[in-house]
Every structure is written in structure tokens, then in C-alpha cells.
Amino acid sequence: MKYRIGILDDHPVVVKGLQDVLLKHGHQVVWTSNSVTDAMAKSAIQVDIIFSDIQLPDGDGIHYCKEILSVNKHVKVIGFSSFSDGSFIRNMIRNGAVGYLLKESDESLVLESIEKVMAGEQVIDPKIKEVFLETQLGIKKNDVSLTRRESEILKLIADGLSTKEIADRLFLSIKTVEAHRSNLMLKMDAKNMAHLIAVAFDRGLI
Amino acid sequence: MKYRIGILDDHPVVVKGLQDVLLKHGHQVVWTSNSVTDAMAKSAIQVDIIFSDIQLPDGDGIHYCKEILSVNKHVKVIGFSSFSDGSFIRNMIRNGAVGYLLKESDESLVLESIEKVMAGEQVIDPKIKEVFLETQLGIKKNDVSLTRRESEILKLIADGLSTKEIADRLFLSIKTVEAHRSNLMLKMDAKNMAHLIAVAFDRGLI
DNA sequence: TTGATAATCAGGGAAAACCCTTAAAAATTA
DNA sequence: TAATTTTTAAGGGTTTTCCCTGATTATCAA
């Protein structure tokens, strides 16, 4: 199937390259644009898919995504950027994008993604999946080593249990639990319990 | 290629099932075990791959993994459990496991994974990858929508700032910051600040 | 313009967290 | 066995969080 496609990117080279790939395979590139304002002005033009960069001169693809979907809720927006930054991708998806590809993707991935997206599937670049998986697995950096008791208590803290509740659960004195909490904060260089949990998540300890 | 395999699991049905699959395809199951102690006693038996459950009667697969690798660092340990709990998987991998499969995996996945693992690759059950990806993307249930001020303050809390510090930073009254904290806890159904941060990470809000 | 939502702030009190020192079993490791 | 680490625990004090009620001012959409 051949589709009507719009491209929003402020890098002429990227626009040209993507356009060539799409045209070569019979798709119609009905508009290209280098700014959010301009792209919104073209929102009346019917398209099936929009490829949108994240960083644009007058805004970002994330807000554009939300806006264009409020005008035309049937269009499939695919984030198209060189950033594999998680927060960009998350926000793009949250704002309604159905896919996110990296600019270094090869032709076949772009073409496959068009088919998948039009079939109602969500598409995330496999490279991003790998990065996400590694983050989840905490392969990054894991210098602090916690004792068995410490990680046990850490998990209970993350579950929202107070010192007293943890003490009751583990049949320990409140003072003992307090000692472990202090050690956790010391080891992980945390200022308080909220910070401790944030650090623990960052280091993949939870 | 056919390999020598050990199985550590305290569920006889699982052991039987896995063993049948492996034997049917020509692999050798050189030992099976239902406890960590017993499995360690069999550590002298040369194996290529060990399938290990997470929860065992006398310990857990995570510590077993570490121990067996200190004895035989060339063995490939594959976590094999019905838990898709992230922390188990993370810890298993951190302790040297090269793979993690779910018990509901079908035969072909198990067999493919054996080949991949022996080829030096890491194997994670695709179902887990999906869960991880969804967590990363915050797709799960992202029903809570925070206001601008709330997410601003949430981030500062995660950075370890106290109510007073946040108030100073944002030129607000302590009471205002307290109000926002209360609303955050209410919205995210958190019992205290530590829990709030944990929930926020879970939902991909940080 | 009129609700609804968001953001601001107050007082007061109970509970929990935080910080300090000190120390003795218990378990591991060398 | 000796040395080290872990786990246990106390006393006592300061600070912060947490919870309640109540209220005024912006902001934004219908």
C-alpha cells in the first residue's frame, strides 16, 4: 500500500533523504516543513503519516504531536530524531505518537514501520529498545553493594512502609531499622528517604 | 549442537517438562535438583548450561548463580521462572546469568535460547522485553496527570530537597510546598515521600 | 462570565524521620 | 583461630514530615 506522508524536520538533508526513500517506494510526500508553525498551517492537507523531528526552531515535535492530533486524530505521527533520549521518546509516545525511529535507521526499517503503523501497531526503533532494556537491567553502573538486610529494607521503604512498620514486619527493633536506613543513606549518598529511593532506582537497585 | 544441562527447580512438574523437551532434542540433562544446597553439591559435574528457578526452598537462584559462577565461571546460567518481576531479572543478570526465560515459554524459544547462549549472546524472554519497554515508556496506567508545579516539585523531591529547600528554591511558602506534596501523595496514592518516588519511577513520571 | 482547576498560604499538632554516640552479638572471611 | 563485616540495639535530641481544616487569588475553558 502507498500512503500520503508529511515530513517535519528543520534539517534539509534529512528531509531530502527521507523524501527520496519514500518516493522511491511509491509513497506520496504531500508536504514537507521545517517549523511547527508551518506544519500546523498545513494541517488541512490530508495525510496518513507524519514524520516529525523532536527539536524544531520554533517548538518541539512533542507539542506538535499533541496539537496535530487534536486537529486530526487519525493521523499517525512517527517521531524521527537522532536522539535516543528516553524522556523525549516517552513524552512523544505519551502525546500520541505511534512510533519513534532514529535517523540512522536504514530504509527497510522505515518502510516496514510505515506498514506496521498503518496496521495499528506501535513501532519503536530496535536500537532504542536495547538501550531501554539495558537501563532496566541496570547494566550501567552499579558500584554500591548492599547487604542482604539492607536491600530487604530498601524494598520495604520503596513500598511505603514506615520504620515502625518495617520493624514489625521483620521482628526487629525500631532502632535497628533506623540503623539500616542510616547506613543505606550513607552508602548511597542520599539526603533523605525520597532521595534514597530515587538513587536506588537510578542505579537499578530496585 | 547438543549440550550438557543441569536443572535447578523445586517444582517436579517443571523439571519433568523441561527435561522432556531437552531430551527430545538430543541434549543431555546430567543433573536435576530441587535445592540450592543439592545443586552446589553437584557443582563438580561438568555442564554447559544450568536452568535455575528464582525461588528455592533453601535460598534463591540469584545467590546460587553467583556461587556456581565462582566455582565454574564458564557455565551459562539461565534464569527460569514464572516471575516477570523486574528486580528478580535484574539481580539474576547482575549476578552473572546470561539469560532469563519464563516458564510459559514454548519449546522453540527454549531451544533457540540454548543456541544463542552458547554462542555468547544474552537472552531475555521477549515477553519480559515488552514489559520492560512498557515500563520505560510509562504506558502501563498513566492515569495520573500532574500539573506543571506538581511535576516540578516532584523532581526536586527526587533530588533530595526538603520542603524548606524547595520553598526557598521556588520562592514559595513552606505551606504551599506542603500542599503540593499532599496533592502528589493523594494523586499517586502514596503513603510517604519514599513511596511517592517509587510510584513515580514505576509510572515513568521521573 | 462563570465555573473548574491550579496555585497560593495559614495554624497547629501528632508522628515519623533524622542525627549523634555507643556497643555487643552473630556471621563471614582470611 | 583471628579479623572483619554484618546485624542487632539503646538513649536522647532536633528537624521534618504528615495530616487536618480553612481560605484567597490566578488561570483557563465553556
Side-chain angles (χ1 to χ4, degrees):
Chain A
M1 285 286 286
K2 307 305 168 190
Y3 301 105
R4 295 170 61 85
I5 297 172
I7 301 175
L8 168 55
D9 201 305
D10 61 327
H11 303 88
V13 183
V14 175
V15 175
K16 182 70 170 55
L18 183 56
Q19 192 168 18
D20 283 356
V21 168
L22 297 174
L23 292 175
K24 198 167 71 183
H25 290 85
H27 294 294
Q28 294 177 51
V29 176
V30 294
W31 61 258
T32 69
S33 181
N34 59 14
S35 75
V36 172
T37 322
D38 183 57
M40 282 308 294
K42 286 166 176 162
S43 61
I45 304 173
Q46 187 266 319
V47 287
D48 301 305
I49 296 171
I50 296 171
F51 284 89
S52 169
D53 195 4
I54 295 294
Q55 278 191 327
L56 278 316
D58 62 340
D60 59 82
I62 293 154
H63 289 98
Y64 167 71
C65 184
K66 196 173 184 180
E67 280 187 52
I68 190 70
L69 283 169
S70 71
V71 177
N72 176 2
K73 64 182 174 189
H74 297 298
V75 70
K76 309 284 185 184
V77 180
I78 298 178
F80 194 66
S81 148
S82 47
F83 294 98
S84 54
D85 185 321
S87 68
F88 284 137
I89 301 162
R90 273 190 286 275
N91 283 320
M92 199 79 191
I93 300 286
R94 282 205 199 97
N95 278 297
V98 293
Y100 197 103
L101 299 180
L102 296 175
K103 287 184 181 175
E104 60 258 42
S105 306
D106 50 305
E107 289 189 31
S108 59
L109 183 62
V110 173
L111 296 169
E112 276 170 33
S113 300
I114 289 174
E115 298 303 328
K116 285 193 180 174
V117 157
M118 291 307 295
E121 286 181 57
Q122 194 181 60
V123 173
I124 307 286
D125 199 298
K127 282 175 197 159
I128 295 169
K129 285 195 181 184
E130 283 306 308
V131 172
F132 278 6
L133 190 66
E134 282 173 13
T135 310
Q136 277 285 331
L137 290 175
I139 290 169
K140 295 185 295 186
K141 63 239 154 155
N142 185 26
D143 26 23
V144 282
S145 70
L146 302 182
T147 68
R148 210 171 300 180
R149 215 32 155 184
E150 282 165 355
S151 37
E152 186 179 15
I153 288 174
L154 177 62
K155 281 178 182 57
L156 294 176
I157 295 170
D159 284 340
L161 275 72
S162 70
T163 300
K164 185 173 181 328
E165 286 168 335
I166 295 171
D168 288 347
R169 173 84 68 95
L170 302 180
F171 304 106
L172 294 174
S173 150
I174 287 179
K175 282 294 176 181
T176 303
V177 179
E178 274 188 343
H180 286 302
R181 292 166 68 118
S182 293
N183 283 329
L184 279 167
M185 282 200 283
L186 207 67
K187 276 191 179 178
M188 307 183 60
D189 202 29
K191 296 178 196 166
N192 51 46
M193 284 300 116
H195 194 206
L196 179 75
I197 299 303
V199 173
F201 265 95
D202 263 344
R203 303 201 183 176
L205 294 169
I206 292 182
Chain B
M1 286 284 285
K2 307 305 167 192
Y3 301 104
R4 295 170 61 85
I5 296 172
I7 300 175
L8 168 54
D9 200 306
D10 61 327
H11 302 89
V13 183
V14 175
V15 175
K16 181 72 171 58
L18 182 56
Q19 193 169 17
D20 284 356
V21 169
L22 297 173
L23 292 175
K24 199 168 71 182
H25 290 84
H27 295 293
Q28 294 177 51
V29 176
V30 293
W31 61 258
T32 68
S33 181
N34 57 14
S35 75
V36 172
T37 322
D38 183 57
M40 282 309 294
K42 286 169 175 160
S43 60
I45 304 172
Q46 188 265 317
V47 287
D48 301 305
I49 295 171
I50 296 170
F51 283 89
S52 169
D53 195 6
I54 296 293
Q55 276 192 327
L56 279 315
D58 63 339
D60 60 81
I62 292 153
H63 288 96
Y64 167 71
C65 185
K66 197 175 183 179
E67 281 186 51
I68 189 68
L69 283 169
S70 71
V71 177
N72 177 2
K73 64 182 175 189
H74 297 297
V75 70
K76 309 287 185 184
V77 180
I78 298 177
F80 194 66
S81 149
S82 48
F83 293 99
S84 54
D85 185 321
S87 70
F88 285 137
I89 301 162
R90 274 191 286 274
N91 283 319
M92 200 78 191
I93 300 286
R94 278 203 205 99
N95 278 297
V98 294
Y100 197 103
L101 298 180
L102 296 174
K103 287 183 181 174
E104 59 258 42
S105 306
D106 51 304
E107 289 189 31
S108 59
L109 183 62
V110 174
L111 297 167
E112 276 171 33
S113 300
I114 289 174
E115 298 303 328
K116 283 192 181 175
V117 158
M118 291 308 294
E121 286 180 56
Q122 194 182 58
V123 174
I124 306 286
D125 199 300
K127 282 175 197 159
I128 295 169
K129 285 196 182 184
E130 283 306 309
V131 173
F132 278 6
L133 189 67
E134 282 172 11
T135 309
Q136 278 285 331
L137 291 176
I139 289 170
K140 286 195 297 188
K141 44 205 172 203
N142 191 26
D143 31 20
V144 281
S145 69
L146 303 183
T147 68
R148 209 172 299 179
R149 216 30 157 186
E150 281 165 353
S151 38
E152 186 179 18
I153 287 174
L154 177 62
K155 280 176 182 58
L156 294 175
I157 295 169
D159 284 341
L161 276 70
S162 71
T163 300
K164 185 178 182 322
E165 286 168 335
I166 295 171
D168 288 348
R169 174 83 69 94
L170 302 180
F171 304 106
L172 294 174
S173 150
I174 286 178
K175 283 294 175 184
T176 303
V177 179
E178 273 187 344
H180 286 301
R181 292 166 68 117
S182 292
N183 283 329
L184 280 167
M185 283 200 283
L186 206 68
K187 277 189 179 180
M188 307 184 60
D189 202 26
K191 296 178 196 166
N192 51 45
M193 283 301 117
H195 194 205
L196 179 75
I197 300 301
V199 173
F201 265 96
D202 264 344
R203 304 202 182 175
L205 293 170
I206 292 184

